[in-house]
Amino acid sequence: MMDPGQQPTSSDLRDFSRKVREAPTREENRTSAARSMKIAQGETEGEEDLLRALEELRAQYEKLARAAGRLREVNRELELTVASRTTQLAMANHTTDELLTAERRAREEAEIANRIKGDFLALLSHEFRTPLQAIFGYTELLERQIHGPLNEAQLRDLKRIQQSQQHLLGLITTILEFARLEGGKEIEVHLCPTSVHEILREMEGFIGSQLEKRDLKYDYRCDGEAIFAHTDPARFQQIVLNLLANAIKFTPAGGHISLECASEPGTAVIRVIDSGIGISDEQLETIFQPFVQIRAKHSTTEGAGLGLPISRRLATAMGGTLTASRNPESGSTFTLRLPLARDL
C-alpha cells in the first residue's frame, strides 16, 4: 500500500497495470473451475441415472428371457399336441374311409342279395302256381261229381282241400307282389274319385265265412255315404281286405271286429278295430316290416307276414298313410288315411 500523498513510481504503475490485466484471467479461472465442478457433478449424476437405467434394462431383459423360455416351452407343447391331433385325425380319417368302404360293399352285397331273393321268390311262386292250377282243376271236377257221387265225408275233405288251395294261392299272390316291389318296380295305381262307402259295404261279403267260422262279431259304420277318396278302387279294396283278414287272424273266438269310415279336413279315414291280442309299443312299427308277425302264446296263425308291408306301400303309392295303434283295453286299431277327391 502506498502512503497518501506519495507519488507512484514507474514500478508501481507496472505492477498495477499487470494486476489489472490478470484480474479477468483469475475471474475466468474461478468461473471455469466452478463450471468444471458443476459439469463433474452433472456427469456423476448422469452416470448414476445411466446405471439405474441399465439396471432396469437388465431386469427387463431377464424378464423377457424368462418369458421367451416359457413361450418356447409352450410352442414345443403346442407342436407336440398338433402332431398328436394330426396323427389321431389321420387315423380317424383312415378308419372312416374303411367304414365307408365296408358300408358301401355291404350295401352292394345287400342289393345283390335282395335282387337274388326277389328273383328266387318270383320264380318259386310261379313254379308253385303251375301245379296249383292243376289241383284247382281236379278239385273242381270232383266237386261237380262228374266221375260219380261223393259221400258226406268226401265232400268235407274236398272242402278242406279247396280252403287250403285258396290259402296257398293267397300266399303265392302276396309273395309275387312282394317280390315285384322288392325288385324296385313301381306300383301301378289308377287314381280316380272313389266312393268309400261303396267299397266298404261289400267287405262283409268277402269275410263272412271267416267271421262265422271263428265266431266273431262284425259291424260297419260310416259317417256319410258322400265320402269320396282320390284312390285306386282295386288297391283300396286290397288294403282293407288285408286289414280285415289280419284282424280276423289275431282275434280270438267270440271277439269283435269293426270297420269305420269318416272324413277329416282333406282326408278320408278308414279304421279297422279288433279286440284281439293287441300290439306292444315296440311292435307298432316292426309289424310293417316284411316277414314279421305277432304270435301269441300257443298261436296257430298262418301267413307270410307280407300283408301289412304291402298294404303300407300301396297306401303310400296312393298318397295316403297306414298306421297302427293299441286300444286302451284290448286289441288294436289300423288306420288308413287317403286324400279326399276334389271337384265332385
Side-chain angles (χ1 to χ4, degrees):
M1 295 292 295
M2 289 190 304
D3 293 332
Q6 184 180 357
Q7 293 294 324
T9 63
S10 59
S11 176
D12 292 332
L13 291 174
R14 284 193 301 273
D15 289 339
F16 178 76
S17 177
R18 180 178 54 80
K19 289 179 181 180
V20 170
R21 289 194 306 270
E22 290 179 353
T25 302
R26 286 194 298 270
E27 183 64 27
E28 289 176 359
N29 289 337
R30 283 195 298 271
T31 303
S32 177
R35 187 182 300 114
S36 297
M37 289 180 64
K38 288 182 180 180
I39 291 173
Q41 184 179 2
E43 289 179 352
T44 301
E45 292 176 354
E47 289 178 357
E48 292 177 354
D49 292 340
L50 181 60
L51 289 175
R52 283 194 297 272
L54 289 174
E55 188 66 27
E56 291 178 359
L57 287 175
R58 183 167 57 252
Q60 292 293 331
Y61 173 78
E62 291 175 355
K63 291 174 63 177
L64 290 174
R66 288 193 296 271
R70 288 195 297 270
L71 182 60
R72 284 192 295 271
E73 292 178 0
V74 171
N75 283 336
R76 282 195 298 269
E77 292 177 358
L78 183 59
E79 289 173 357
L80 292 174
T81 301
V82 170
S84 175
R85 293 292 187 271
T86 303
T87 303
Q88 293 176 2
L89 182 59
M91 293 176 63
N93 288 336
H94 180 68
T95 303
T96 301
D97 291 340
E98 290 181 343
L99 290 175
L100 289 175
T101 302
E103 188 270 338
R104 183 169 56 252
R105 189 183 303 114
R107 185 171 60 251
E108 292 173 353
E109 292 174 353
E111 290 173 355
I112 294 173
N114 277 334
R115 286 196 298 270
I116 294 174
K117 179 184 66 177
D119 294 342
F120 172 74
L121 289 175
L123 177 62
L124 188 63
S125 300
H126 281 296
E127 291 299 321
F128 280 162
R129 271 180 175 272
T130 302
L132 188 60
Q133 292 298 333
I135 295 174
F136 269 114
Y138 283 114
T139 55
E140 187 177 354
L141 290 175
L142 290 173
E143 187 179 25
R144 292 180 181 181
Q145 302 185 35
I146 295 176
H147 300 295
L150 301 177
N151 58 38
E152 291 296 326
Q154 291 172 330
L155 288 173
R156 284 196 303 270
D157 291 341
L158 180 60
K159 198 69 174 177
R160 294 191 183 97
I161 293 173
Q162 290 174 330
Q163 289 175 347
S164 298
Q165 288 172 346
Q166 292 295 336
H167 176 67
L168 183 57
L169 180 61
L171 289 178
I172 292 173
T173 302
T174 301
I175 291 173
L176 274 174
E177 187 160 14
F178 173 75
R180 188 173 63 83
L181 295 177
E182 285 293 291
K185 296 181 180 179
E186 294 183 0
I187 301 175
E188 294 183 2
V189 293
H190 305 282
L191 305 178
C192 63
T194 302
S195 172
V196 174
H197 174 67
E198 290 295 325
I199 298 292
L200 298 185
R201 72 177 180 178
E202 302 294 333
M203 291 296 105
E204 187 172 4
F206 290 104
I207 63 173
S209 60
Q210 300 177 57
L211 293 169
E212 184 178 353
K213 181 180 178 181
R214 296 181 65 88
D215 189 24
L216 298 175
K217 296 178 181 179
Y218 172 83
D219 69 272
Y220 165 61
R221 297 188 299 273
C222 186
D223 285 354
E225 298 182 7
I227 301 175
F228 282 79
H230 186 63
T231 186
D232 184 320
R235 296 298 193 180
F236 175 37
Q237 184 185 75
Q238 181 181 354
I239 294 173
V240 177
L241 280 175
N242 278 340
L243 296 179
L244 289 171
N246 190 72
I248 291 172
K249 188 188 306 182
F250 293 101
T251 302
H256 184 269
I257 295 175
S258 297
L259 176 61
E260 300 177 354
C261 73
S263 63
E264 295 178 355
T267 307
V269 182
I270 299 91
R271 293 185 177 90
V272 175
I273 307 168
D274 65 67
S275 60
I277 61 175
I279 307 171
S280 66
D281 292 334
E282 295 78 13
Q283 295 173 314
L284 288 176
E285 282 300 318
T286 59
I287 58 174
F288 291 102
Q289 297 176 5
F291 304 107
V292 174
Q293 271 197 329
I294 300 173
R295 295 193 181 276
K297 192 175 182 181
H298 308 306
S299 172
T300 57
T301 55
E302 300 174 343
L306 295 175
L308 291 178
I310 291 176
S311 296
R312 172 172 273 189
R313 294 191 185 189
L314 290 174
T316 302
M318 296 186 294
T321 60
L322 178 60
T323 58
S325 60
R326 296 178 58 189
N327 294 339
E329 296 181 357
S330 65
S332 56
T333 298
F334 286 84
T335 304
L336 171 66
R337 286 183 167 84
L338 297 171
L340 287 176
R342 298 178 180 176
D343 302 329
L344 289 178

